């Protein structure tokens, strides 16, 4: 077998990029927009974020201004779309789910994020606690654009990017798991890019 | 007397094959949300790399969702109250 003639430096760079890419992914510098419907445009004055659930002692609601007053963090993360593009080192700002969920008492084990546009996604609680998931409203130092999920989207970088649902408006805390918009239509319930869990049965 | 009968899986698959082998563009879909009836060709179609969503032109509710995975088609028609298909007799 013949080896292609490449310089040592080039191969070194390739290896370091590939080390950050889950199996079957390619690197992009673009930020592709995937649309399964019209882009919701909720005015900030009408926007709120709620946490509900049957085991909740008291449901919780934040207006946009109240949400802005919560403790904020900046996040730098690699994101991996199930359609095979990955984008490294994206920068976001928002509120950790730890911060939001610390303000409610419940006995749930699953989170179902619900969104404008009728979208939803499901995650086990232990996959979103411990600094692993955020509600973000800023991307690369600017307010998050509507086509990328603004005013606010979920950010769960260790799962395929469809679970970082756009236009998030709240969390339902549930005792039982319940597949979301894509998880109920053939996509994997967990969606771990490093285990290449794209579709059900992967 | 009950004229219905239990179909086995193969017979049911044959039935679906009969339905979906027709040209579907003119099939009439009734929205489960607002009740509007439109031909498939008149629905709003979003073809995303993740899947295709056919929406009601009156209220934007998803009527039909299709995902092609590695091995299967996944079809969700729960947003449609009814789909009316006219057999294309000229093709048979
Ligand atoms: Zn409708």
């Amino acid at each position: 077998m013949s080896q292609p003639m490449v310089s040592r430096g080039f191969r070194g760079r390739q290896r370091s990029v590939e080390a950050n890419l889950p199996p079957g992914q390619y690197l992009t510098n673009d930020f592709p927009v995937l649309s399964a419907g019209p882009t919701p445009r909720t005015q900030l004055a009408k926007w709120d974020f709620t946490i509900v659930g049957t085991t909740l002692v008291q449901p919780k609601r934040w207006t946009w201004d109240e949400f802005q007053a919560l403790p904020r963090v900046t996040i730098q993360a690699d994101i991996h779309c199930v359609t095979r593009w990955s984008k490294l080192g994206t920068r976001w700002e928002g509120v950790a789910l730890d911060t939001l969920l610390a303000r409610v008492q419940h006995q749930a084990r699953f989170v179902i994020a619900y969104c404008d546009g009728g979208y939803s996604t499901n995650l086990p609680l232990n996959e979103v606690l411990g600094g692993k998931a955020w509600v973000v409203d800023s991307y690369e130092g600017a307010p998050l654009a509507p086509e990328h999920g603004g005013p606010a989207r979920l950010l769960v970088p260790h799962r395929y990017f469809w679970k970082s649902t756009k236009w998030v408006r709240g969390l339902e805390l549930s005792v039982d798991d319940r597949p979301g918009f894509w998880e109920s239509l053939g996509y994997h319930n967990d969606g771990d890019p490093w285990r290449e869990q794209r579709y059900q049965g992967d | 007397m009950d004229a219905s009968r239990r179909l086995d899986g193969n017979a049911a698959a044959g039935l679906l094959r009969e339905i979906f082998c027709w040209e579907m563009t003119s099939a009439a879909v009734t929205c489960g949300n607002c009740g509007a009836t439109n031909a498939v060709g008149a629905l709003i179609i979003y073809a995303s790399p993740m899947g295709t969503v056919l929406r009601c032109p009156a209220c934007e509710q998803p009527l039909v969702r299709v995902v092609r995975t590695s091995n299967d088609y996944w079809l969700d028609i729960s947003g449609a109250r009814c789909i009316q298909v006219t057999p294309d007799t000229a093709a048979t």
Side-chain angles (χ1 to χ4, degrees), chain A residues 34-38 82-83 117 119 162 180-182 184-187 199-200 202, chain B residues 46-53 55 60 62 65-70 74-76:
Chain A
L34 274 62
S35 295
V82 73
T83 63
Y119 303 98
W162 90 73
F181 186 89
W182 293 113
S184 63
L185 199 64
Y187 284 92
Y199 305 117
Q200 281 187 34
D202 284 353
Chain B
Y46 286 85
S48 146
M50 280 194 75
T52 300
V53 179
R55 290 178 181 267
E60 298 184 339
R65 304 189 297 148
V66 189
V67 164
R68 181 81 170 98
T69 66
S70 315
W74 289 69
L75 175 68
D76 172 10

Side-chain angles (χ1 to χ4, degrees), chain B residues 6-32:
Chain B
R6 276 187 81 123
L7 295 178
D8 68 12
N10 287 330
L15 174 63
L16 290 175
R17 170 81 185 125
E18 287 173 23
I19 294 168
F20 286 107
C21 71
W22 305 115
E23 166 60 45
M24 291 293 287
T25 314
S26 61
V29 186
T30 302
C31 175

